[in-house]
Amino acid sequence: MLNLIENQMNNYSPAEQTVAYYVLEHPEDVLSMTTKQLAAECQSSEATIIRFCKRIGINSFKGLKIELAKEISLEGNQDEMNASPLQFEDDLETVISKVTTKTIQALNNTKSLVSVEQLDRAVKAMHEGERIYVYGAGGSSLVANDLTQKLLRIDFPAFQSNDIHVQMMMAANMTERDILFVVSTSGKTREILQLLSTAKEKGATTILLTQYGKSPARRMSDVVLTISDEEHNIRIGTMTARIAQLAVIDVLFIALCTKRGSKVYKKIIDTHQAVQRMQKQ
């Protein structure tokens, strides 16, 4: 939680930044405070405290204190938790510990940030859409490919190309009944912005899966699914971002299966058996 608060510092209002700095410097003191007491320490209002909690994906001040208490209880492991996974002097046991710790941290932070309302809107749009076009550049293409395979598994009309020129041709033929689902960790990639712009011109509904924080792609999209920003400086293969994105895709897939009802089981069985027959030949 402290890592999440620090990473998002540039996204807070001035009043929220004051609260953030106080929480980072005095996490143990915050555990015994009321919203009124914390507001007084920050020379702010109780409403600002609540807005700050919601900004970091927590619905109440009590929830913030629970998360801080969990983190403080693990204080002895903080150096390892916050250290870069790439340290040349580390042995394999240390690497395993760092990678798994950061993965768990990213998943927990994403759980706090992802909006149920936005997920529900994404599910509704995809369920009712005529065609779904999926795109991700670079490392995000792996996540886009995973979503496309899952959609095809349950008979959604899904289309994807890793070639941006082909994807732009698809976008040029979109209608208001189509969906463009874009995976972009930063939300700033030029080709992503061009693709979103073309889809918007055609009236298609745009869904973006991206990290927390302001970005041009976030402003352009109709629906935004948010993951946490763990690798906010130099990314080593966008490891935690990829895991968090895949987790959100899994949630989306299960929700779409639920929306389709029991008939989805036949689709899953049929596609599984078709692939199995290929393996036996």
PDB file of all heavy atoms in Angstrom, residues 154-185:
ATOM      1  N   ILE A 154     -15.280 -19.207 -26.584  1.00  0.00           N
ATOM      2  CA  ILE A 154     -16.706 -19.191 -26.250  1.00  0.00           C
ATOM      3  C   ILE A 154     -17.537 -18.531 -27.358  1.00  0.00           C
ATOM      4  O   ILE A 154     -18.607 -17.979 -27.115  1.00  0.00           O
ATOM      5  CB  ILE A 154     -16.953 -18.516 -24.883  1.00  0.00           C
ATOM      6  CG1 ILE A 154     -16.312 -17.129 -24.824  1.00  0.00           C
ATOM      7  CG2 ILE A 154     -16.411 -19.389 -23.764  1.00  0.00           C
ATOM      8  CD1 ILE A 154     -16.582 -16.375 -23.523  1.00  0.00           C
ATOM      9  N   ASP A 155     -16.986 -18.577 -28.587  1.00  0.00           N
ATOM     10  CA  ASP A 155     -17.718 -18.206 -29.799  1.00  0.00           C
ATOM     11  C   ASP A 155     -18.042 -16.715 -29.903  1.00  0.00           C
ATOM     12  O   ASP A 155     -19.092 -16.338 -30.426  1.00  0.00           O
ATOM     13  CB  ASP A 155     -19.013 -19.024 -29.909  1.00  0.00           C
ATOM     14  CG  ASP A 155     -19.540 -19.057 -31.343  1.00  0.00           C
ATOM     15  OD1 ASP A 155     -18.733 -18.873 -32.267  1.00  0.00           O
ATOM     16  OD2 ASP A 155     -20.767 -19.239 -31.515  1.00  0.00           O
ATOM     17  N   PHE A 156     -17.150 -15.867 -29.402  1.00  0.00           N
ATOM     18  CA  PHE A 156     -17.276 -14.438 -29.654  1.00  0.00           C
ATOM     19  C   PHE A 156     -16.571 -14.128 -30.981  1.00  0.00           C
ATOM     20  O   PHE A 156     -15.499 -14.683 -31.258  1.00  0.00           O
ATOM     21  CB  PHE A 156     -16.619 -13.615 -28.538  1.00  0.00           C
ATOM     22  CG  PHE A 156     -17.514 -13.345 -27.368  1.00  0.00           C
ATOM     23  CD1 PHE A 156     -17.706 -14.307 -26.398  1.00  0.00           C
ATOM     24  CD2 PHE A 156     -18.155 -12.121 -27.232  1.00  0.00           C
ATOM     25  CE1 PHE A 156     -18.524 -14.066 -25.303  1.00  0.00           C
ATOM     26  CE2 PHE A 156     -18.973 -11.865 -26.148  1.00  0.00           C
ATOM     27  CZ  PHE A 156     -19.171 -12.836 -25.185  1.00  0.00           C
ATOM     28  N   PRO A 157     -17.117 -13.251 -31.803  1.00  0.00           N
ATOM     29  CA  PRO A 157     -16.463 -12.868 -33.067  1.00  0.00           C
ATOM     30  C   PRO A 157     -15.284 -11.930 -32.785  1.00  0.00           C
ATOM     31  O   PRO A 157     -15.446 -10.701 -32.798  1.00  0.00           O
ATOM     32  CB  PRO A 157     -17.581 -12.165 -33.837  1.00  0.00           C
ATOM     33  CG  PRO A 157     -18.485 -11.623 -32.772  1.00  0.00           C
ATOM     34  CD  PRO A 157     -18.410 -12.584 -31.620  1.00  0.00           C
ATOM     35  N   ALA A 158     -14.121 -12.494 -32.519  1.00  0.00           N
ATOM     36  CA  ALA A 158     -12.945 -11.718 -32.120  1.00  0.00           C
ATOM     37  C   ALA A 158     -11.908 -11.696 -33.235  1.00  0.00           C
ATOM     38  O   ALA A 158     -11.666 -12.722 -33.886  1.00  0.00           O
ATOM     39  CB  ALA A 158     -12.342 -12.305 -30.845  1.00  0.00           C
ATOM     40  N   PHE A 159     -11.281 -10.534 -33.427  1.00  0.00           N
ATOM     41  CA  PHE A 159     -10.292 -10.354 -34.483  1.00  0.00           C
ATOM     42  C   PHE A 159      -9.071  -9.651 -33.913  1.00  0.00           C
ATOM     43  O   PHE A 159      -9.198  -8.682 -33.166  1.00  0.00           O
ATOM     44  CB  PHE A 159     -10.875  -9.535 -35.634  1.00  0.00           C
ATOM     45  CG  PHE A 159     -12.144 -10.110 -36.204  1.00  0.00           C
ATOM     46  CD1 PHE A 159     -13.379  -9.779 -35.650  1.00  0.00           C
ATOM     47  CD2 PHE A 159     -12.100 -10.988 -37.269  1.00  0.00           C
ATOM     48  CE1 PHE A 159     -14.548 -10.319 -36.156  1.00  0.00           C
ATOM     49  CE2 PHE A 159     -13.265 -11.530 -37.783  1.00  0.00           C
ATOM     50  CZ  PHE A 159     -14.494 -11.201 -37.230  1.00  0.00           C
ATOM     51  N   GLN A 160      -7.888 -10.117 -34.296  1.00  0.00           N
ATOM     52  CA  GLN A 160      -6.660  -9.517 -33.806  1.00  0.00           C
ATOM     53  C   GLN A 160      -5.553  -9.654 -34.842  1.00  0.00           C
ATOM     54  O   GLN A 160      -5.437 -10.681 -35.519  1.00  0.00           O
ATOM     55  CB  GLN A 160      -6.194 -10.187 -32.501  1.00  0.00           C
ATOM     56  CG  GLN A 160      -4.898  -9.618 -31.949  1.00  0.00           C
ATOM     57  CD  GLN A 160      -4.186 -10.574 -31.003  1.00  0.00           C
ATOM     58  OE1 GLN A 160      -4.639 -11.702 -30.799  1.00  0.00           O
ATOM     59  NE2 GLN A 160      -3.087 -10.139 -30.433  1.00  0.00           N
ATOM     60  N   SER A 161      -4.735  -8.618 -34.963  1.00  0.00           N
ATOM     61  CA  SER A 161      -3.532  -8.695 -35.777  1.00  0.00           C
ATOM     62  C   SER A 161      -2.424  -7.931 -35.067  1.00  0.00           C
ATOM     63  O   SER A 161      -2.650  -6.838 -34.549  1.00  0.00           O
ATOM     64  CB  SER A 161      -3.755  -8.087 -37.167  1.00  0.00           C
ATOM     65  OG  SER A 161      -2.526  -8.033 -37.884  1.00  0.00           O
ATOM     66  N   ASN A 162      -1.230  -8.523 -35.033  1.00  0.00           N
ATOM     67  CA  ASN A 162      -0.093  -7.835 -34.432  1.00  0.00           C
ATOM     68  C   ASN A 162       0.504  -6.786 -35.361  1.00  0.00           C
ATOM     69  O   ASN A 162       1.365  -6.003 -34.963  1.00  0.00           O
ATOM     70  CB  ASN A 162       0.989  -8.842 -34.030  1.00  0.00           C
ATOM     71  CG  ASN A 162       0.556  -9.711 -32.860  1.00  0.00           C
ATOM     72  OD1 ASN A 162      -0.263  -9.293 -32.043  1.00  0.00           O
ATOM     73  ND2 ASN A 162       1.086 -10.917 -32.795  1.00  0.00           N
ATOM     74  N   ASP A 163       0.038  -6.777 -36.612  1.00  0.00           N
ATOM     75  CA  ASP A 163       0.471  -5.787 -37.587  1.00  0.00           C
ATOM     76  C   ASP A 163      -0.436  -4.561 -37.469  1.00  0.00           C
ATOM     77  O   ASP A 163      -1.643  -4.636 -37.738  1.00  0.00           O
ATOM     78  CB  ASP A 163       0.384  -6.385 -38.998  1.00  0.00           C
ATOM     79  CG  ASP A 163       0.956  -5.468 -40.073  1.00  0.00           C
ATOM     80  OD1 ASP A 163       0.829  -4.225 -39.931  1.00  0.00           O
ATOM     81  OD2 ASP A 163       1.520  -5.986 -41.047  1.00  0.00           O
ATOM     82  N   ILE A 164       0.120  -3.430 -37.068  1.00  0.00           N
ATOM     83  CA  ILE A 164      -0.702  -2.242 -36.835  1.00  0.00           C
ATOM     84  C   ILE A 164      -1.380  -1.761 -38.109  1.00  0.00           C
ATOM     85  O   ILE A 164      -2.492  -1.208 -38.069  1.00  0.00           O
ATOM     86  CB  ILE A 164       0.151  -1.105 -36.211  1.00  0.00           C
ATOM     87  CG1 ILE A 164      -0.742   0.093 -35.832  1.00  0.00           C
ATOM     88  CG2 ILE A 164       1.279  -0.695 -37.127  1.00  0.00           C
ATOM     89  CD1 ILE A 164      -1.839  -0.213 -34.864  1.00  0.00           C
ATOM     90  N   HIS A 165      -0.764  -1.986 -39.276  1.00  0.00           N
ATOM     91  CA  HIS A 165      -1.390  -1.572 -40.525  1.00  0.00           C
ATOM     92  C   HIS A 165      -2.670  -2.373 -40.787  1.00  0.00           C
ATOM     93  O   HIS A 165      -3.695  -1.815 -41.205  1.00  0.00           O
ATOM     94  CB  HIS A 165      -0.416  -1.742 -41.702  1.00  0.00           C
ATOM     95  CG  HIS A 165       0.807  -0.884 -41.584  1.00  0.00           C
ATOM     96  ND1 HIS A 165       1.980  -1.345 -41.023  1.00  0.00           N
ATOM     97  CD2 HIS A 165       1.030   0.411 -41.928  1.00  0.00           C
ATOM     98  CE1 HIS A 165       2.872  -0.373 -41.040  1.00  0.00           C
ATOM     99  NE2 HIS A 165       2.337   0.699 -41.581  1.00  0.00           N
ATOM    100  N   VAL A 166      -2.604  -3.678 -40.534  1.00  0.00           N
ATOM    101  CA  VAL A 166      -3.799  -4.514 -40.682  1.00  0.00           C
ATOM    102  C   VAL A 166      -4.854  -4.098 -39.660  1.00  0.00           C
ATOM    103  O   VAL A 166      -6.050  -4.004 -39.967  1.00  0.00           O
ATOM    104  CB  VAL A 166      -3.442  -6.004 -40.511  1.00  0.00           C
ATOM    105  CG1 VAL A 166      -4.703  -6.868 -40.524  1.00  0.00           C
ATOM    106  CG2 VAL A 166      -2.486  -6.455 -41.614  1.00  0.00           C
ATOM    107  N   GLN A 167      -4.412  -3.837 -38.431  1.00  0.00           N
ATOM    108  CA  GLN A 167      -5.343  -3.446 -37.373  1.00  0.00           C
ATOM    109  C   GLN A 167      -6.021  -2.110 -37.716  1.00  0.00           C
ATOM    110  O   GLN A 167      -7.205  -1.916 -37.438  1.00  0.00           O
ATOM    111  CB  GLN A 167      -4.601  -3.325 -36.038  1.00  0.00           C
ATOM    112  CG  GLN A 167      -5.524  -3.301 -34.828  1.00  0.00           C
ATOM    113  CD  GLN A 167      -6.103  -4.659 -34.492  1.00  0.00           C
ATOM    114  OE1 GLN A 167      -5.462  -5.683 -34.689  1.00  0.00           O
ATOM    115  NE2 GLN A 167      -7.329  -4.679 -33.982  1.00  0.00           N
ATOM    116  N   MET A 168      -5.264  -1.193 -38.333  1.00  0.00           N
ATOM    117  CA  MET A 168      -5.852   0.088 -38.732  1.00  0.00           C
ATOM    118  C   MET A 168      -6.892  -0.104 -39.832  1.00  0.00           C
ATOM    119  O   MET A 168      -7.909   0.599 -39.861  1.00  0.00           O
ATOM    120  CB  MET A 168      -4.746   1.038 -39.209  1.00  0.00           C
ATOM    121  CG  MET A 168      -3.892   1.609 -38.086  1.00  0.00           C
ATOM    122  SD  MET A 168      -4.825   2.648 -36.929  1.00  0.00           S
ATOM    123  CE  MET A 168      -5.209   4.051 -37.973  1.00  0.00           C
ATOM    124  N   MET A 169      -6.658  -1.054 -40.739  1.00  0.00           N
ATOM    125  CA  MET A 169      -7.659  -1.348 -41.770  1.00  0.00           C
ATOM    126  C   MET A 169      -8.933  -1.889 -41.134  1.00  0.00           C
ATOM    127  O   MET A 169     -10.047  -1.550 -41.552  1.00  0.00           O
ATOM    128  CB  MET A 169      -7.089  -2.351 -42.783  1.00  0.00           C
ATOM    129  CG  MET A 169      -6.097  -1.743 -43.755  1.00  0.00           C
ATOM    130  SD  MET A 169      -5.633  -2.873 -45.089  1.00  0.00           S
ATOM    131  CE  MET A 169      -4.413  -3.894 -44.278  1.00  0.00           C
ATOM    132  N   MET A 170      -8.750  -2.741 -40.116  1.00  0.00           N
ATOM    133  CA  MET A 170      -9.924  -3.241 -39.384  1.00  0.00           C
ATOM    134  C   MET A 170     -10.684  -2.082 -38.740  1.00  0.00           C
ATOM    135  O   MET A 170     -11.918  -2.018 -38.811  1.00  0.00           O
ATOM    136  CB  MET A 170      -9.477  -4.230 -38.305  1.00  0.00           C
ATOM    137  CG  MET A 170      -8.905  -5.535 -38.806  1.00  0.00           C
ATOM    138  SD  MET A 170      -8.428  -6.589 -37.407  1.00  0.00           S
ATOM    139  CE  MET A 170      -7.722  -7.999 -38.243  1.00  0.00           C
ATOM    140  N   ALA A 171      -9.941  -1.173 -38.115  1.00  0.00           N
ATOM    141  CA  ALA A 171     -10.569  -0.038 -37.437  1.00  0.00           C
ATOM    142  C   ALA A 171     -11.341   0.840 -38.416  1.00  0.00           C
ATOM    143  O   ALA A 171     -12.413   1.367 -38.093  1.00  0.00           O
ATOM    144  CB  ALA A 171      -9.505   0.779 -36.711  1.00  0.00           C
ATOM    145  N   ALA A 172     -10.801   0.984 -39.621  1.00  0.00           N
ATOM    146  CA  ALA A 172     -11.447   1.819 -40.636  1.00  0.00           C
ATOM    147  C   ALA A 172     -12.794   1.256 -41.065  1.00  0.00           C
ATOM    148  O   ALA A 172     -13.649   1.993 -41.585  1.00  0.00           O
ATOM    149  CB  ALA A 172     -10.528   1.964 -41.849  1.00  0.00           C
ATOM    150  N   ASN A 173     -13.004  -0.044 -40.851  1.00  0.00           N
ATOM    151  CA  ASN A 173     -14.262  -0.694 -41.238  1.00  0.00           C
ATOM    152  C   ASN A 173     -15.189  -0.947 -40.056  1.00  0.00           C
ATOM    153  O   ASN A 173     -16.217  -1.623 -40.195  1.00  0.00           O
ATOM    154  CB  ASN A 173     -13.971  -2.023 -41.948  1.00  0.00           C
ATOM    155  CG  ASN A 173     -13.410  -1.818 -43.339  1.00  0.00           C
ATOM    156  OD1 ASN A 173     -13.899  -0.989 -44.095  1.00  0.00           O
ATOM    157  ND2 ASN A 173     -12.365  -2.559 -43.667  1.00  0.00           N
ATOM    158  N   MET A 174     -14.856  -0.416 -38.888  1.00  0.00           N
ATOM    159  CA  MET A 174     -15.698  -0.611 -37.709  1.00  0.00           C
ATOM    160  C   MET A 174     -16.998   0.177 -37.822  1.00  0.00           C
ATOM    161  O   MET A 174     -17.092   1.160 -38.561  1.00  0.00           O
ATOM    162  CB  MET A 174     -14.953  -0.177 -36.439  1.00  0.00           C
ATOM    163  CG  MET A 174     -13.842  -1.113 -36.020  1.00  0.00           C
ATOM    164  SD  MET A 174     -13.042  -0.525 -34.497  1.00  0.00           S
ATOM    165  CE  MET A 174     -11.687  -1.716 -34.394  1.00  0.00           C
ATOM    166  N   THR A 175     -17.996  -0.269 -37.068  1.00  0.00           N
ATOM    167  CA  THR A 175     -19.279   0.437 -36.977  1.00  0.00           C
ATOM    168  C   THR A 175     -19.582   0.700 -35.507  1.00  0.00           C
ATOM    169  O   THR A 175     -18.844   0.273 -34.616  1.00  0.00           O
ATOM    170  CB  THR A 175     -20.411  -0.398 -37.585  1.00  0.00           C
ATOM    171  OG1 THR A 175     -20.706  -1.508 -36.706  1.00  0.00           O
ATOM    172  CG2 THR A 175     -20.042  -0.936 -38.956  1.00  0.00           C
ATOM    173  N   GLU A 176     -20.688   1.353 -35.259  1.00  0.00           N
ATOM    174  CA  GLU A 176     -21.082   1.668 -33.880  1.00  0.00           C
ATOM    175  C   GLU A 176     -21.453   0.412 -33.086  1.00  0.00           C
ATOM    176  O   GLU A 176     -21.607   0.477 -31.873  1.00  0.00           O
ATOM    177  CB  GLU A 176     -22.245   2.670 -33.867  1.00  0.00           C
ATOM    178  CG  GLU A 176     -23.552   2.162 -34.456  1.00  0.00           C
ATOM    179  CD  GLU A 176     -23.584   2.278 -35.986  1.00  0.00           C
ATOM    180  OE1 GLU A 176     -22.617   2.783 -36.582  1.00  0.00           O
ATOM    181  OE2 GLU A 176     -24.599   1.845 -36.586  1.00  0.00           O
ATOM    182  N   ARG A 177     -21.583  -0.724 -33.767  1.00  0.00           N
ATOM    183  CA  ARG A 177     -21.907  -1.982 -33.055  1.00  0.00           C
ATOM    184  C   ARG A 177     -20.657  -2.760 -32.685  1.00  0.00           C
ATOM    185  O   ARG A 177     -20.740  -3.798 -32.045  1.00  0.00           O
ATOM    186  CB  ARG A 177     -22.813  -2.862 -33.933  1.00  0.00           C
ATOM    187  CG  ARG A 177     -24.138  -2.208 -34.199  1.00  0.00           C
ATOM    188  CD  ARG A 177     -25.368  -3.051 -34.058  1.00  0.00           C
ATOM    189  NE  ARG A 177     -25.214  -4.431 -33.705  1.00  0.00           N
ATOM    190  CZ  ARG A 177     -25.643  -4.932 -32.527  1.00  0.00           C
ATOM    191  NH1 ARG A 177     -26.156  -4.128 -31.607  1.00  0.00           N
ATOM    192  NH2 ARG A 177     -25.546  -6.210 -32.296  1.00  0.00           N
ATOM    193  N   ASP A 178     -19.500  -2.263 -33.074  1.00  0.00           N
ATOM    194  CA  ASP A 178     -18.247  -2.978 -32.826  1.00  0.00           C
ATOM    195  C   ASP A 178     -17.542  -2.478 -31.559  1.00  0.00           C
ATOM    196  O   ASP A 178     -17.815  -1.389 -31.057  1.00  0.00           O
ATOM    197  CB  ASP A 178     -17.310  -2.825 -34.019  1.00  0.00           C
ATOM    198  CG  ASP A 178     -17.839  -3.527 -35.258  1.00  0.00           C
ATOM    199  OD1 ASP A 178     -18.556  -4.535 -35.099  1.00  0.00           O
ATOM    200  OD2 ASP A 178     -17.546  -3.062 -36.378  1.00  0.00           O
ATOM    201  N   ILE A 179     -16.610  -3.329 -31.088  1.00  0.00           N
ATOM    202  CA  ILE A 179     -15.829  -3.027 -29.888  1.00  0.00           C
ATOM    203  C   ILE A 179     -14.347  -3.067 -30.247  1.00  0.00           C
ATOM    204  O   ILE A 179     -13.886  -4.002 -30.911  1.00  0.00           O
ATOM    205  CB  ILE A 179     -16.080  -4.069 -28.770  1.00  0.00           C
ATOM    206  CG1 ILE A 179     -17.577  -4.261 -28.521  1.00  0.00           C
ATOM    207  CG2 ILE A 179     -15.335  -3.691 -27.496  1.00  0.00           C
ATOM    208  CD1 ILE A 179     -18.287  -3.079 -27.974  1.00  0.00           C
ATOM    209  N   LEU A 180     -13.595  -2.082 -29.778  1.00  0.00           N
ATOM    210  CA  LEU A 180     -12.143  -2.131 -29.851  1.00  0.00           C
ATOM    211  C   LEU A 180     -11.605  -2.279 -28.442  1.00  0.00           C
ATOM    212  O   LEU A 180     -11.841  -1.417 -27.590  1.00  0.00           O
ATOM    213  CB  LEU A 180     -11.565  -0.872 -30.489  1.00  0.00           C
ATOM    214  CG  LEU A 180     -10.028  -0.778 -30.461  1.00  0.00           C
ATOM    215  CD1 LEU A 180      -9.397  -1.895 -31.278  1.00  0.00           C
ATOM    216  CD2 LEU A 180      -9.541   0.587 -30.949  1.00  0.00           C
ATOM    217  N   PHE A 181     -10.917  -3.377 -28.190  1.00  0.00           N
ATOM    218  CA  PHE A 181     -10.318  -3.635 -26.870  1.00  0.00           C
ATOM    219  C   PHE A 181      -8.809  -3.483 -27.012  1.00  0.00           C
ATOM    220  O   PHE A 181      -8.164  -4.253 -27.724  1.00  0.00           O
ATOM    221  CB  PHE A 181     -10.676  -5.039 -26.396  1.00  0.00           C
ATOM    222  CG  PHE A 181     -10.344  -5.281 -24.943  1.00  0.00           C
ATOM    223  CD1 PHE A 181     -11.342  -5.360 -23.992  1.00  0.00           C
ATOM    224  CD2 PHE A 181      -9.021  -5.431 -24.519  1.00  0.00           C
ATOM    225  CE1 PHE A 181     -11.039  -5.578 -22.646  1.00  0.00           C
ATOM    226  CE2 PHE A 181      -8.707  -5.643 -23.187  1.00  0.00           C
ATOM    227  CZ  PHE A 181      -9.733  -5.711 -22.249  1.00  0.00           C
ATOM    228  N   VAL A 182      -8.243  -2.488 -26.330  1.00  0.00           N
ATOM    229  CA  VAL A 182      -6.827  -2.183 -26.441  1.00  0.00           C
ATOM    230  C   VAL A 182      -6.121  -2.469 -25.118  1.00  0.00           C
ATOM    231  O   VAL A 182      -6.595  -2.075 -24.052  1.00  0.00           O
ATOM    232  CB  VAL A 182      -6.606  -0.710 -26.835  1.00  0.00           C
ATOM    233  CG1 VAL A 182      -5.138  -0.337 -26.749  1.00  0.00           C
ATOM    234  CG2 VAL A 182      -7.116  -0.464 -28.243  1.00  0.00           C
ATOM    235  N   VAL A 183      -4.969  -3.153 -25.204  1.00  0.00           N
ATOM    236  CA  VAL A 183      -4.109  -3.378 -24.040  1.00  0.00           C
ATOM    237  C   VAL A 183      -2.886  -2.488 -24.203  1.00  0.00           C
ATOM    238  O   VAL A 183      -2.141  -2.618 -25.181  1.00  0.00           O
ATOM    239  CB  VAL A 183      -3.671  -4.853 -23.934  1.00  0.00           C
ATOM    240  CG1 VAL A 183      -2.848  -5.062 -22.666  1.00  0.00           C
ATOM    241  CG2 VAL A 183      -4.877  -5.778 -23.955  1.00  0.00           C
ATOM    242  N   SER A 184      -2.681  -1.567 -23.274  1.00  0.00           N
ATOM    243  CA  SER A 184      -1.535  -0.665 -23.332  1.00  0.00           C
ATOM    244  C   SER A 184      -1.106  -0.310 -21.920  1.00  0.00           C
ATOM    245  O   SER A 184      -1.848   0.360 -21.190  1.00  0.00           O
ATOM    246  CB  SER A 184      -1.880   0.611 -24.104  1.00  0.00           C
ATOM    247  OG  SER A 184      -0.804   1.531 -24.061  1.00  0.00           O
ATOM    248  N   THR A 185       0.067  -0.765 -21.512  1.00  0.00           N
ATOM    249  CA  THR A 185       0.527  -0.514 -20.148  1.00  0.00           C
ATOM    250  C   THR A 185       0.635   0.978 -19.865  1.00  0.00           C
ATOM    251  O   THR A 185       0.130   1.468 -18.859  1.00  0.00           O
ATOM    252  CB  THR A 185       1.890  -1.190 -19.906  1.00  0.00           C
ATOM    253  OG1 THR A 185       1.771  -2.587 -20.182  1.00  0.00           O
ATOM    254  CG2 THR A 185       2.336  -1.004 -18.456  1.00  0.00           C
TER     255      THR A 185
END
